[in-house]
């Protein structure tokens, strides 16, 4: 009898795991989410903090992001942190009760890209909340232990969830080799532009100029330590005069430009503004195809590099937060609880943009 009762309680607990499922355009429902069994190298994590990303908003508004299309109901979300609730039989690195930040992508570890360490480019990547893989806006998830990183006592769970967007900035600054001799231009003062600003500064960039069409976002960039902020238009005809304005604001050569938007205008501006022999790193992927002045930039040996997500970034992100070299707390502008009503409100808030930079669930 007691045994049957235990089974009943176990079933009941499993039923209680709920997640935010995306069913259609602007249709999110909190419904039961049955987890896979815990493998020997997995952990079960009680999610305590989750941030909404621009890609989550794309799925919410259009059911697609770039070439990824949601074809069946999917649990959304991937910027997450939580507390270990159960560990697999072979997990040695983590214990029940540990606070962790989750790296959301599981690569195959077998293909050539994985073997070379470029696992972010793995064609078999299973990434939280990127179809067809369910995400982490749930009470609990099961995840490989080696993708869960322990948080120091002075780093909060919300900051732990911010390691995911911060990782994009770290990967971009590594790819572009930012250091104490690189002056940096950033196109776009959205969440990714702002974390790129913080990381460039932490990597020693002596001067950072940031450009956007929105004055509110520019004032946030100023408060986060941008040397100069420049308001630009959305009109491609203005590129010529805006480039002069940007170069004057920098006061010396622009060694690296980060395009955190990915439009014809932002990329054209970056290519034209960057000094000969410099680099342009494309982070924002707004458009699949662009028309940009590549030939004049190539003739000046301006290198164009791209990034996709990140790799091997969590330990550094956590260290930057622990030491206070980077403070992501000002980026968290809105907080919501995990209820049907608040999940809907949170996604609407994030979708509207405006003064919302990072919308965070505290669960």
């Amino acid at each position: 009898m007691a045994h049957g009762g235990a089974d009943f309680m176990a079933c009941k607990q499993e039923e209680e795991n709920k997640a935010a499922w995306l069913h259609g355009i602007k249709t999110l429902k909190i419904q039961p989410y049955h987890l896979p069994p815990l493998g020997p190298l997995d952990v079960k994590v009680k999610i305590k903090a989750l941030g909404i990303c621009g890609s989550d908003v794309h799925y919410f508004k259009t059911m697609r992001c770039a070439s990824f299309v949601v074809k069946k109901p999917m649990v959304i979300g991937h910027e997450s942190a939580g507390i270990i609730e159960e560990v697999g039989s072979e997990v040695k690195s983590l214990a029940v009760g540990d606070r962790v930040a989750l790296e959301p992508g599981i690569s195959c570890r077998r293909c050539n890209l994985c073997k070379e360490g470029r696992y972010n480019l793995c064609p078999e990547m299973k990434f939280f909340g990127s179809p067809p893989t369910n995400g982490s806006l749930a009470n609990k998830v099961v995840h490989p232990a080696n993708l869960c990183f322990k948080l120091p006592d002075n780093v909060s769970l919300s900051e732990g969830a911010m390691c995911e967007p911060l990782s994009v900035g770290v990967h971009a600054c590594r790819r572009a080799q930012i250091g104490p001799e690189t002056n940096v231009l950033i196109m776009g003062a959205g969440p990714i532009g702002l974390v790129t600003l913080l990381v460039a500064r932490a990597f020693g960039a002596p001067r950072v100029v940031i450009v956007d069409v929105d004055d509110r976002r520019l004032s946030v960039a100023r408060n986060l330590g941008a040397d100069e902020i420049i308001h630009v238009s959305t009109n491609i005809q203005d590129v010529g005069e805006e480039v002069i304005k940007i170069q004057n604001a920098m006061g010396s050569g622009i060694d690296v430009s980060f395009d955190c938007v990915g439009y014809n205008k932002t990329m054209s501006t970056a290519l034209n503004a960057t000094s000969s022999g410099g680099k342009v790193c494309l982070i924002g992927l707004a458009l699949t195809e662009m028309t940009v002045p590549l030939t004049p930039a190539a003739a000046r040996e301006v290198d164009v590099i791209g990034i996709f997500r990140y790799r091997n970034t969590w330990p550094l992100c956590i260290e930057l937060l622990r030491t206070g070299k980077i403070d992501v707390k000002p980026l968290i502008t809105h907080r919501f609880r995990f209820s049907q009503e608040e999940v809907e409100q949170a996604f609407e808030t994030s979708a509207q943009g405006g003064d919302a930079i990072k919308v965070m669930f505290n669960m």
Side-chain angles (χ1 to χ4, degrees):
M1 177 66 195
H3 181 66
D7 282 349
F8 171 74
M9 285 307 294
C11 290
K12 188 158 171 47
Q13 276 182 326
E14 209 46 57
E15 273 170 33
E16 283 168 0
N17 189 41
K18 297 273 177 70
W21 292 84
L22 181 65
H23 282 266
I25 288 175
K26 295 199 170 183
T27 310
L28 283 166
K29 292 181 184 164
I30 293 186
Q31 292 174 319
Y33 178 31
H34 300 295
L35 294 176
L38 193 71
L41 295 171
D42 294 335
V43 289
K44 187 182 281 184
V45 184
K46 191 172 178 49
I47 299 294
K48 301 298 286 179
L50 184 136
I52 298 179
C53 170
S55 63
D56 297 326
V57 172
H58 278 293
Y59 290 127
F60 174 67
K61 293 200 321 201
T62 66
M63 294 291 279
R64 65 179 302 148
C65 183
S67 59
F68 295 99
V69 182
V70 182
K71 293 178 177 153
K72 62 180 203 304
M74 176 186 82
V75 177
I76 203 162
H78 61 268
E79 302 181 356
S80 48
I83 297 171
I84 302 281
E85 196 171 75
E86 198 182 333
V87 298
S89 57
E90 292 175 33
V91 173
K92 304 281 187 283
S93 55
L94 296 166
V96 172
D98 283 347
R99 298 154 63 255
V100 291
L102 286 70
E103 180 173 349
I106 306 172
S107 59
C108 78
R109 306 177 83 178
R110 292 184 302 276
C111 69
N112 286 341
L113 287 160
C114 282
K115 286 177 181 172
E116 286 167 10
R118 304 187 76 173
Y119 66 85
N120 57 313
L121 304 176
C122 173
E124 304 287 310
M125 178 69 83
K126 293 180 173 64
F127 192 91
F128 273 154
S130 188
T133 308
N134 283 322
S136 53
L137 182 47
N139 300 127
K140 297 170 191 178
V141 298
V142 168
H143 205 51
N146 70 317
L147 295 173
C148 297
F149 296 84
K150 199 169 165 179
L151 294 172
D153 292 343
N154 69 337
V155 176
S156 71
L157 287 154
S158 293
E159 291 171 278
M162 290 294 292
C163 285
E164 199 279 343
L166 193 57
S167 283
V168 176
V170 166
H171 184 48
C173 286
R174 280 177 175 168
R175 284 268 289 152
Q177 297 174 312
I178 301 302
E181 295 182 341
T182 32
N183 288 325
V184 171
L185 166 65
I186 296 172
M187 307 296 300
I192 294 299
L194 296 172
V195 293
T196 304
L197 158 67
L198 294 174
V199 177
R201 192 58 96 209
F203 277 30
R207 201 158 166 77
V208 182
V209 172
I210 195 160
V211 172
D212 201 280
V213 297
D214 186 315
D215 283 326
R216 283 174 299 191
R217 295 204 157 181
L218 286 171
S219 71
V220 175
R222 164 80 81 199
N223 292 338
L224 289 173
D227 293 295
E228 294 286 347
I229 53 171
I230 298 174
H231 184 274
V232 291
S233 76
T234 54
N235 187 349
I236 197 136
Q237 307 302 318
D238 297 336
V239 167
E241 61 192 65
E242 286 174 0
V243 163
I244 293 167
K245 206 162 145 188
I246 290 164
Q247 288 172 331
N248 289 342
M250 185 64 81
S252 57
I254 295 167
D255 303 299
V256 176
S257 296
F258 292 103
D259 182 356
C260 301
V261 187
Y263 284 129
N264 291 327
K265 178 165 192 262
T266 53
M267 198 61 181
S268 298
T269 305
L271 288 165
N272 284 319
T274 303
S275 301
S276 298
K279 294 188 187 85
V280 174
C281 179
L282 178 58
I283 303 176
L285 305 173
L287 300 179
T288 314
E289 292 187 4
M290 285 195 242
T291 307
V292 295
L294 208 49
T295 313
R300 295 189 298 108
E301 294 193 1
V302 173
D303 294 345
V304 177
I305 53 178
I307 69 148
F308 185 59
R309 295 176 180 153
Y310 34 68
R311 56 177 174 266
N312 303 313
T313 49
W314 259 252
L316 178 58
C317 289
I318 290 169
E319 185 62 8
L320 290 167
L321 295 173
R322 182 189 73 78
T323 55
K325 287 196 173 77
I326 284 182
D327 181 8
V328 289
K329 293 191 287 294
L331 298 179
I332 305 169
T333 51
H334 295 71
R335 291 181 187 272
F336 291 89
R337 297 267 161 217
F338 185 56
S339 67
Q340 180 64 43
E341 186 185 358
E342 293 204 37
V343 164
E344 290 172 8
Q345 280 178 346
F347 272 85
E348 286 294 348
T349 302
S350 196
Q352 280 158 13
D355 60 352
I357 296 170
K358 183 55 64 180
V359 175
M360 181 74 62
F361 290 103
N362 293 107
M363 296 153 77

